[in-house]
Amino acid sequence: MSYVITQNCCNDAACADVCPVGCIHPSPGEPGYASTEMLYIDPVRCIDCGACAEACPVDAVYSADALPDRMRRYEEINADYYRATPRVSLPLSVAPPRTFERTANSLRVAIVGAGPSGFYAAEQLIEAGAEVSMFDRLSTPFGLVRAGVAPDHTHTKNVTDQFRWTAARREFNTFYNVEVGTHLSHHDLLQYHHAVLYSVGALQDRRLGIVGEDLPGSHAAAEFVAWYNGHPDYADRRFDLSHRRAIIIGNGNVALDIARVLLLPVDELARTDIADHALKALADNNIEEVVVLGRRGSSHAAFTTPELLAFAHLDDIDVFVEDGAAQDAIVPGFSTQLKTKVLAELNAAPRGNAKRLVLRFLASPIEVVGDEQVTGLRVTRNTMIDGRAEPSGESDLLDAGLVLRAVGFRGRAINGVPFNEQVGTIPNDHGRVIGPDGEPVPGVYTAGWIKRGPSGVIGTNKTCAAETVAHLLEDFSNGNLADPLGSADDLTTFVSTRRCEYVDRRTWQRIDEHERTAGRAAGRPAIKLTDTAAISRIAVLPTSADPA
């Protein structure tokens, strides 16, 4: 029996690194890795050693004979990938990380942003002998794993266990609840570190630019996701769930996540770490139908097959595929052909449930309709011409009380750091930040979505961070980074004067312990604190881990 990678795959590629026969692809550096939906194990080459399962941070790898029923399809999917993508599997050659002798003047790096890319970079830097100071404007770390991953994706959230190990390293210093640009400046960080690495993500939504976009009932998907995930900045948001239909504009994975949250029975959500205020609101949810719009045909759908397959195992939700599935020429490639096959299967499945997901293709929004509140969305029908979606001149009005736009994200500028307003990223050359003169800015680096744009999944950030860290270490080794003017102790003193309420390692552990203890008592992974005042109160309470 071989091992099988399943839906929860995060593309971290830790499994590929430990495979003794190199049978997991596509791996970092291979064609297709940057765009792959997931990784796949070659069942012919696999020697059933189990190293991949032990290395997987999100419990996505199973022995084929131990696959849960709902994951059984993935045995076929892994095998089909190699039928469609033949290759020679060879043992991987993984270069050991570069290391530096730790001295009084050892490398010190500030990482701004406590999401996946920041933690991957931190671990790689520490392994190379560096000391890391991590800053985040929120009191809690983990970025989009905490505030973006859908609450029912509990296995995906397990990657934070890996990040907790990094955060426990003695070379790792924590400065949460500190906003760079408000409490500290970019210049301040450079005074106390050899380098500053920005991994702040891309959290601002892209707008549609259509009439009615700002009507009550029309929201950015990012707001809704942050609301149900307990982001403190969005805990007080209100969403009208009293109507029968909701419409999501854009058909990426975020759209499918939102659709599941709106359609799942509330008792299923009650077993997750969804925010309590969202759970209470969804208990009175009247939405029976969620329409997900894509402007192009089904072959160009932005969601991944694993996210789509998640609906195949939801017994109380029907899936309908409307408009354009047959008109769209199939785009070559294993992932696209598999996605098209799964769409056809879902559309042909038996009907009869009260709730439904409608995947409508070849449709673009032209107006959010309503006077004082959203009452519908007017869409134009499109046709595919030479791979482009062109308006046909026909339009439809869809009744709805909630419209969410999930058409992408963009980064936000940080004072003192170069920024490309057009694309919403920090300009860089493979992680080295580039100034207005086209030259690298000494000591300034970037990783994650703010570096490359909002693409990829959690594990994609590992390779992205590794690229940046490699250049940072090269610059340090070549003597291109200026020595800090202050010590690590000086930094702590300085931050205390600017932001005495900053959250250090011990304080974060109190918050984390409180949330997880409350979750265990309720049969849930955690009960998140969403109020900044409550977080502050918990932060100063002693825990059993504190000395008397």
Side-chain angles (χ1 to χ4, degrees):
M1 275 292 178
S2 69
Y3 275 75
V4 176
I5 297 177
T6 65
Q7 175 188 337
N8 302 319
C9 180
C10 71
N11 293 28
D12 173 286
C15 56
D17 289 344
V18 301
C19 179
V21 294
C23 71
I24 302 177
H25 300 279
S27 59
E30 291 184 337
Y33 172 75
S35 59
T36 189
E37 294 186 337
M38 56 181 287
L39 307 185
Y40 308 88
I41 295 175
D42 186 341
V44 176
R45 300 277 181 166
C46 178
I47 60 173
D48 201 23
C49 69
C52 52
E54 292 183 11
C56 179
V58 294
D59 300 326
V61 184
Y62 292 80
S63 174
D65 57 2
L67 278 169
D69 287 343
R70 63 187 180 85
M71 299 289 189
R72 188 64 57 186
R73 178 72 177 274
Y74 284 92
E75 183 176 10
E76 173 191 344
I77 289 173
N78 277 246
D80 283 348
Y81 174 78
Y82 288 94
R83 295 188 188 102
T85 317
R87 64 181 71 236
V88 177
S89 295
L90 298 172
L92 298 177
S93 176
V94 182
R98 297 183 62 180
T99 59
F100 297 85
E101 180 182 356
R102 191 180 305 281
T103 68
N105 197 33
S106 63
L107 175 62
R108 293 211 310 271
V109 180
I111 296 179
V112 182
S117 58
F119 271 98
Y120 283 127
E123 181 63 27
Q124 293 159 12
L125 284 164
I126 292 170
E127 285 295 318
E131 296 178 7
V132 170
S133 307
M134 180 169 280
F135 296 80
D136 198 282
R137 72 178 188 86
L138 296 181
S139 299
T140 54
F142 307 144
L144 283 179
V145 180
R146 178 182 173 98
V149 173
D152 61 325
H153 281 3
T154 54
H155 286 285
T156 303
K157 291 173 179 282
N158 287 344
V159 73
T160 58
D161 292 338
Q162 177 180 333
F163 299 156
R164 285 182 171 88
W165 280 106
T166 299
R169 303 281 290 264
R170 64 184 179 85
E171 303 89 356
F172 185 93
N173 301 298
T174 300
F175 298 96
Y176 303 146
N177 198 30
V178 177
E179 185 168 11
V180 175
T182 300
H183 305 117
L184 303 179
S185 69
H186 169 67
H187 176 74
D188 291 333
L189 294 182
L190 282 174
Q191 294 291 299
Y192 294 94
H193 301 88
H194 291 90
V196 182
L197 191 159
Y198 287 93
S199 57
V200 293
L203 301 179
Q204 289 189 317
D205 67 286
R206 296 185 182 275
R207 294 180 60 81
L208 296 167
I210 62 176
V211 175
E213 186 172 7
D214 295 317
L215 276 171
S218 172
H219 307 271
E223 290 182 42
F224 190 70
V225 170
W227 169 75
Y228 66 61
N229 271 318
H231 193 299
D233 292 352
Y234 299 90
D236 61 349
R237 294 290 199 276
R238 297 290 182 270
F239 299 92
D240 188 354
L241 306 177
S242 64
H243 298 262
R244 189 185 72 85
R245 178 188 288 145
I247 300 174
I248 305 171
I249 302 168
N251 62 8
N253 285 345
V254 171
L256 294 193
D257 285 347
I258 293 173
R260 282 198 322 280
V261 168
L262 288 172
L263 295 173
L264 279 173
V266 73
D267 60 337
E268 291 191 30
L269 293 173
R271 296 193 290 268
T272 73
D273 69 351
I274 191 170
D276 279 353
H277 60 253
L279 190 62
K280 181 178 179 180
L282 289 165
D284 297 323
N285 176 18
N286 289 331
I287 292 173
E288 298 176 353
E289 178 180 285
V290 176
V291 179
V292 174
L293 296 181
R295 65 183 178 87
R296 296 192 291 178
S298 59
S299 291
H300 296 87
F303 51 73
T304 61
T305 305
E307 288 295 326
L308 181 63
L309 273 172
F311 280 90
H313 306 288
L314 301 179
D315 296 333
D316 46 3
I317 301 173
D318 293 333
V319 179
F320 291 78
V321 181
E322 289 188 356
D323 296 352
Q327 304 175 40
D328 188 24
I330 301 298
V331 177
F334 172 76
S335 295
T336 302
Q337 293 176 10
L338 175 61
K339 190 183 304 179
T340 302
K341 180 180 179 181
V342 173
L343 281 169
E345 291 173 0
L346 290 173
N347 201 38
R351 311 293 192 197
N353 293 301
K355 295 189 176 183
R356 47 191 266 165
L357 168 69
V358 178
L359 300 172
R360 179 163 181 170
F361 297 97
L362 292 175
S364 297
I366 52 178
E367 179 186 4
V368 181
V369 178
D371 295 324
E372 298 180 354
Q373 173 75 29
V374 169
T375 59
L377 180 72
R378 192 176 302 280
V379 301
T380 181
R381 301 181 192 176
N382 298 328
T383 57
M384 294 297 293
I385 301 176
D386 295 328
R388 301 188 311 274
E390 300 290 348
S392 67
E394 300 180 70
S395 65
D396 297 306
L397 177 60
L398 306 178
D399 294 334
L402 178 66
V403 173
L404 300 169
R405 58 182 182 274
V407 291
F409 304 93
R410 54 179 286 115
R412 183 173 58 183
I414 300 168
N415 190 31
V417 181
F419 188 73
N420 186 327
E421 286 286 353
Q422 184 175 0
V423 297
T425 60
I426 294 175
N428 69 93
D429 180 11
H430 301 287
R432 290 185 176 106
V433 172
I434 302 299
D437 60 356
E439 296 296 321
V441 180
V444 188
Y445 303 84
T446 185
W449 279 8
I450 196 65
K451 168 188 172 182
R452 66 182 190 275
S455 63
V457 292
I458 291 171
T460 312
N461 293 295
K462 186 176 182 179
T463 305
C464 175
E467 178 185 63
T468 298
V469 168
H471 289 129
L472 191 160
L473 295 177
E474 180 182 10
D475 292 344
F476 177 68
S477 180
N478 292 337
N480 296 332
L481 304 182
D483 290 337
L485 299 181
S487 68
D489 290 340
D490 293 336
L491 170 67
T492 300
T493 301
F494 180 73
V495 174
S496 298
T497 64
R498 293 291 188 89
R499 183 64 165 167
C500 63
E501 303 93 343
Y502 83 89
V503 172
D504 61 11
R505 185 204 315 259
R506 179 58 61 85
T507 308
W508 154 240
Q509 288 173 341
R510 292 191 188 104
I511 296 168
D512 191 38
E513 180 179 332
H514 177 89
E515 292 185 335
R516 297 172 87 176
T517 300
R520 285 192 295 270
R524 301 170 61 185
I527 294 180
K528 293 176 180 174
L529 295 168
T530 60
D531 177 72
T532 52
I535 292 174
S536 297
R537 288 194 299 271
I538 296 299
V540 299
L541 293 176
T543 70
S544 58
D546 289 330

